[in-house]
């Protein structure tokens, strides 16, 4: 069946969502997401960050849908026409949703370990949410140890349910979930339980904000000071394909490899993630390319550097005080005395 998104028409299979079709097209037409995760089943529809305007329902029913639809759970119909990046209504709604997500979110980016690779940070920057109109008291929680490797900062949580879905689908017994309702809802473990299984560390990777942090990496370094390398090892539990975040020759943390949408390609076990922090334990394949523009690109050692050419007089770069005056006056030629001084310097 055919679907048109922002003027781009693409053929997709039945059952494909609007978001999946937009990702197949790529570019600015792809809506942002906070709760959807393509590697997890029945995931999405919680955050409403991916709202789109459907101007034509299908060939059979060409009427537009009266309300904006979440693209991650809306199935494509044959002949459907969608406005994503070209819809002012959808863009305004996304901006409002991101402002809503930031109501209780603390402004602790300077100390948050997720800073630099935070989906909410990127979303707020893309939607230009630089100010808040919320003046009421924010809800606050104390940090909570929910396992030997994971610390929960509920203040930063946006209730995307990713960690709950992952625990349901990847681990044998889920011992945490959402308790409470409405503005009292929060992620927590059941009484006297701790999250401790072979794949619990993947909850850190799927968390879009800094709510679930790696206790072995906390406050060790900023991600933009690290160099990411693809590496692998023979692991009996998982694929063993990881990204090593290195500072010099030291491995500071190990994560799963992520795609352009910041989703893990293959989930890895806790043994690879937490117990192999020596470079000798891995076969390093080489530097990892950055998937998309972010603060990490400041430290990009892959991008070729062009030689800088300064169009100025030769002796300006020598540092002489009399020549520095000529930097802003290219239209004023040297007088005879200056030309003689230049000649003397060149002959020395």
């Amino acid at each position: 069946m055919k679907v048109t998104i922002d003027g781009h028409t693409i053929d997709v299979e039945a059952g494909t969502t609007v978001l999946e079709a937009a990702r197949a097209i790529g570019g600015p037409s792809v809506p942002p997401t906070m709760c959807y995760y393509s590697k997890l089943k029945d995931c999405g529809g919680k955050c409403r960050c991916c709202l789109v305007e459907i101007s034509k329902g299908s060939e059979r029913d060409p009427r537009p849908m009266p309300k904006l639809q979440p693209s991650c759970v809306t199935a494509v119909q044959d002949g459907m026409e969608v406005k994503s990046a070209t819809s002012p209504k959808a863009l305004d709604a996304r901006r409002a949703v991101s402002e809503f997500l930031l109501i209780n979110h603390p402004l602790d980016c300077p100390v948050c370990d997720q800073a630099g690779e935070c989906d909410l940070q990127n979303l707020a920057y893309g939607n230009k949410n630089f100010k808040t109109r919320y003046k009421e008291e924010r809800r606050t929680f104390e940090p909570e140890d929910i396992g030997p490797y994971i610390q929960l900062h509920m203040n930063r949580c946006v209730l995307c349910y990713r960690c709950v879905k992952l625990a349901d689908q990847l681990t044998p017994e889920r011992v945490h979930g959402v308790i409470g309702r409405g503005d009292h809802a929060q992620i927590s473990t059941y009484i006297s339980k701790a999250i401790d299984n072979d794949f619990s560390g993947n909850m850190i990777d799927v968390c879009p904000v800094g709510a679930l942090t790696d206790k072995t990496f906390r406050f060790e370094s900023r991600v933009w000071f690290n160099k990411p390398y693809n590496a692998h090892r023979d692991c009996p539990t998982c694929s063993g394909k990881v990204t090593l975040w290195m500072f010099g020759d030291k491995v500071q943390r190990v994560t799963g490899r992520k795609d352009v949408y910041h989703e893990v390609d293959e989930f890895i076990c806790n043994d690879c993630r937490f117990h192999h922090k020596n470079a000798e334990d891995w076969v390093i394949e080489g530097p990892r390319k950055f998937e998309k523009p972010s603060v990490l690109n400041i430290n990009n050692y892959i991008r070729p550097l062009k030689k800088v050419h300064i169009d100025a007089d030769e002796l300006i770069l020598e540092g002489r005080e009399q020549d520095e005056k000529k930097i802003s006056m290219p239209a004023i030629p040297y007088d005879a005395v200056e030309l003689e001084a230049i000649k003397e310097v060149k002959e020395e």
Side-chain angles (χ1 to χ4, degrees):
M1 54 181 60
K2 293 183 181 293
V3 59
T4 302
I5 302 177
D6 290 342
H8 303 281
T9 302
I10 188 174
D11 289 317
V12 298
E13 296 181 359
T16 303
T17 63
V18 174
L19 177 60
E20 291 169 346
R23 287 186 172 184
I25 293 173
S29 296
V30 181
T33 59
M34 290 293 293
C35 66
Y36 176 79
Y37 212 82
S38 62
K39 311 303 187 299
L40 301 175
K41 298 177 182 178
D42 302 323
C43 193
K46 309 284 192 308
C47 69
R48 291 301 196 267
C49 289
C50 63
L51 293 173
V52 294
E53 180 182 354
I54 299 179
S55 55
K56 180 181 178 181
S58 64
E59 289 292 348
R60 294 179 59 186
D61 186 1
R63 293 176 300 174
M65 292 191 179
K67 295 182 179 180
L68 298 176
Q69 300 296 317
S71 60
C72 63
V73 292
T74 303
V76 165
Q77 302 296 323
D78 190 28
M80 178 180 283
E81 295 182 4
V82 180
K83 293 181 180 179
S84 178
T86 58
S87 171
K89 187 190 300 185
L91 296 178
D92 287 343
R94 292 176 192 172
R95 191 174 296 110
V97 168
S98 59
E99 183 181 9
F100 179 75
L101 290 175
L102 290 165
I103 280 180
N104 281 304
H105 199 81
L107 300 176
D108 64 345
C109 296
V111 299
C112 178
D113 279 322
Q114 193 82 351
E117 52 183 7
C118 175
D119 292 341
L120 185 59
Q121 209 173 42
N122 295 337
L123 180 70
Y125 183 79
N127 288 332
K128 296 181 173 56
N129 291 118
F130 303 128
K131 296 181 180 179
T132 180
R133 295 177 288 175
Y134 191 75
K135 297 181 180 179
E136 286 72 22
E137 184 178 354
R138 301 176 183 228
R139 66 177 195 168
T140 57
F141 303 86
E142 290 296 324
E144 179 183 358
D145 287 325
I146 58 175
Y149 304 111
I150 305 173
Q151 188 169 75
L152 170 64
H153 291 256
M154 192 57 215
N155 290 346
R156 304 169 186 161
C157 181
V158 292
L159 291 174
C160 69
Y161 285 68
R162 282 183 181 179
C163 62
V164 179
K165 291 290 184 181
L166 182 137
D168 266 336
Q169 299 171 28
L170 201 64
T171 61
E173 294 182 358
R174 175 168 64 88
V175 297
H176 83 291
V178 179
I179 62 174
R181 293 185 177 184
D183 61 346
H184 294 285
Q186 67 180 77
I187 298 288
S188 185
T189 56
Y190 299 131
I191 297 175
S192 72
K193 290 287 186 178
I195 298 174
D196 187 13
N197 57 69
D198 288 342
F199 287 86
S200 62
N202 292 287
M203 292 167 49
I204 301 169
D205 279 346
V206 303
C207 182
V209 293
L212 297 172
T213 57
D214 181 353
K215 290 166 71 173
T216 67
F217 179 66
R218 292 190 45 173
F219 310 129
E220 286 287 327
S221 176
R222 286 302 191 185
V223 291
W224 51 81
F225 293 136
N226 293 151
K227 305 286 188 182
Y229 289 87
N230 283 342
H232 68 271
R233 60 181 287 267
D234 292 329
C235 178
T237 309
C238 68
S239 66
K241 297 179 180 178
V242 303
T243 297
L244 303 181
W245 296 80
M246 302 183 68
F247 187 82
D249 296 330
K250 180 182 178 183
V251 178
Q252 292 197 319
R253 72 167 177 165
V254 181
T255 66
R257 299 184 186 181
K258 297 185 178 182
D259 60 18
V260 67
Y261 301 112
H262 211 218
E263 296 180 1
V264 174
D265 291 327
E266 297 180 66
F267 295 115
I268 62 175
C269 66
N270 286 359
D271 189 38
C272 288
R273 185 185 300 273
F274 300 117
H275 299 152
H276 291 276
K277 293 291 187 72
N278 296 318
E280 295 77 17
D281 297 339
W282 301 93
V283 178
I284 298 179
E285 302 167 10
R288 180 171 179 81
K289 292 185 178 180
F290 294 102
E291 297 85 9
K292 60 182 180 180
S294 71
V295 68
L296 301 181
N297 290 22
I298 298 173
N299 204 25
N300 191 344
Y301 47 85
I302 299 172
R303 183 177 60 234
L305 298 177
K306 297 181 179 179
K307 186 176 180 180
V308 178
H309 174 70
I310 301 178
D311 187 14
D313 297 312
E314 293 180 10
L315 295 181
I316 290 177
L317 304 180
E318 298 291 337
R320 289 185 9 167
E321 292 183 1
Q322 58 265 41
D323 295 323
E324 288 178 358
K325 299 177 182 179
K326 294 291 182 179
I327 292 177
S328 302
M329 298 182 292
I332 301 177
Y334 291 113
D335 56 29
V337 177
E338 291 173 329
L339 290 173
E340 185 63 29
I342 291 172
K343 182 179 178 181
E344 292 177 359
V345 171
K346 286 186 175 181
E347 291 175 352
E348 291 177 357

